[in-house]
Amino acid sequence: MTNSATGPLPASVLEALGCYDTPTICNAMEIVAPERRLIGYTTKQLVCPFPDLPPIVGYARTVTIRSVLKSSLPAEEQSRRRIEYYEYVGTGHGPRISVIQDIDGPDVGYGAFWGEVQSNVHKALGCLGVITDGSIRDIPQWAPGFQALAGSIGPSHAWVHAESFGGEVRVAGMTVKSDDLIHADRHGAIVIPLEIAAKLPEAAELCGRRETPILEIARGPDFSLEKLKAALKRSAEIH
């Protein structure tokens, strides 16, 4: 069983954030926290085998893995640490998203930590998905509804094992700490500071209202440069 402690934000806030795709959340962030335009989101492309899944919003469970080198721990210690890892993943604020950094350097993605078993186990532990710069596999057998953003897809797990968990990680340009609030979909992921999370849905709606007059002209049958100029002016006046 998992232990989902009451999160620092009401569930209604997470539900509201989940109504928007990640690019829209990034747009809203530019309004609410313009100082974060260059930080807090993935900047490198990740593979998404399940692009039709809805956005996921949850609290980060951070892990580092490696697969090129075999774990130096005795078998008994490896088993103990595996249980500790699952206890970490399965407890704390929920829902949760696993954020995993592969620390194999030039060999990142050499072995897949994620596949049929781990996706199903982590789903059962209360995770909504995984964001990793490492590799994943077993796509047809993947846990249904469990989102994945990965650096690559590969066949083998090699010597893959968790090196550490609960610390700061950096995945595809995004720095994440344990319990950070994450929003993710097929486009990538972004860290949402808790203190501004509740402001983002309203800002996202504002972004939509500002885009509407421009899109109406661009998609209409009577587009002209003059109409576009007028639409841009109307958009700028929406507050």
Side-chain angles (χ1 to χ4, degrees), residues 8-9 32-33 35-36 181 192-200:
L9 295 174
V32 175
E35 70 279 4
R36 294 183 64 86
L181 182 62
I192 300 177
L194 297 180
E195 63 273 16
I196 65 172
K199 300 178 181 178
L200 290 177

Side-chain angles (χ1 to χ4, degrees), residues 151-163:
S152 61
I153 296 175
S156 175
H157 52 49
W159 291 112
V160 74
H161 60 278
E163 279 280 297

Side-chain angles (χ1 to χ4, degrees), residues 11-236:
S12 59
V13 173
L14 273 62
E15 292 171 3
L17 291 168
C19 293
Y20 304 94
D21 61 24
T22 305
T24 299
I25 294 298
C26 288
N27 289 350
M29 190 78 76
E30 292 174 6
I31 294 175
V32 175
E35 70 279 4
R36 294 183 64 86
R37 273 181 176 261
L38 296 179
I39 60 172
Y41 51 88
T42 54
T43 58
K44 298 178 180 178
Q45 184 177 9
L46 295 171
V47 177
C48 181
F50 314 106
D52 295 329
L53 287 179
I56 56 175
V57 186
Y59 300 99
R61 280 291 175 260
T62 55
V63 190
T64 62
I65 61 169
R66 68 186 322 155
S67 63
V68 174
L69 299 178
K70 186 177 181 180
S71 174
S72 60
L73 298 176
E76 183 176 341
E77 178 67 9
Q78 289 184 51
S79 297
R80 184 184 68 81
R81 283 183 57 80
R82 186 178 299 115
I83 295 301
E84 289 177 349
Y85 165 73
Y86 284 138
E87 288 176 343
Y88 165 68
V89 172
T91 57
H93 304 316
R96 294 176 283 276
I97 296 174
S98 187
V99 185
I100 298 190
Q101 179 182 359
D102 189 321
I103 58 174
D104 272 332
D107 291 318
V108 61
Y110 198 98
F113 184 80
W114 286 86
E116 179 181 13
V117 173
Q118 293 294 9
S119 64
N120 280 279
V121 168
H122 283 72
K123 181 179 179 180
L125 287 170
C127 288
L128 303 176
V130 58
I131 304 166
T132 180
D133 54 2
S135 64
I136 60 175
R137 65 178 193 167
D138 300 335
I139 303 305
Q141 295 82 29
W142 198 262
F146 193 81
Q147 184 58 285
L149 294 171
S152 61
I153 296 175
S156 175
H157 52 49
W159 291 112
V160 74
H161 60 278
E163 279 280 297
S164 64
F165 45 89
E168 182 177 286
V169 297
R170 187 171 176 82
V171 174
M174 179 180 69
T175 300
V176 181
K177 296 178 181 178
S178 188
D179 286 328
D180 275 351
L181 182 62
I182 305 293
H183 188 290
D185 69 4
R186 62 186 297 176
H187 301 91
I190 184 171
V191 175
I192 300 177
L194 297 180
E195 63 273 16
I196 65 172
K199 300 178 181 178
L200 290 177
E202 182 178 352
E205 289 298 313
L206 174 58
C207 291
R209 293 197 303 273
R210 286 176 173 173
E211 291 176 349
T212 296
I214 301 171
L215 290 172
E216 287 177 346
I217 293 298
R219 292 169 174 166
D222 302 319
F223 175 84
S224 70
L225 184 56
E226 290 305 314
K227 289 183 178 180
L228 177 59
K229 291 178 181 178
L232 289 169
K233 184 176 185 299
R234 290 197 304 274
S235 174

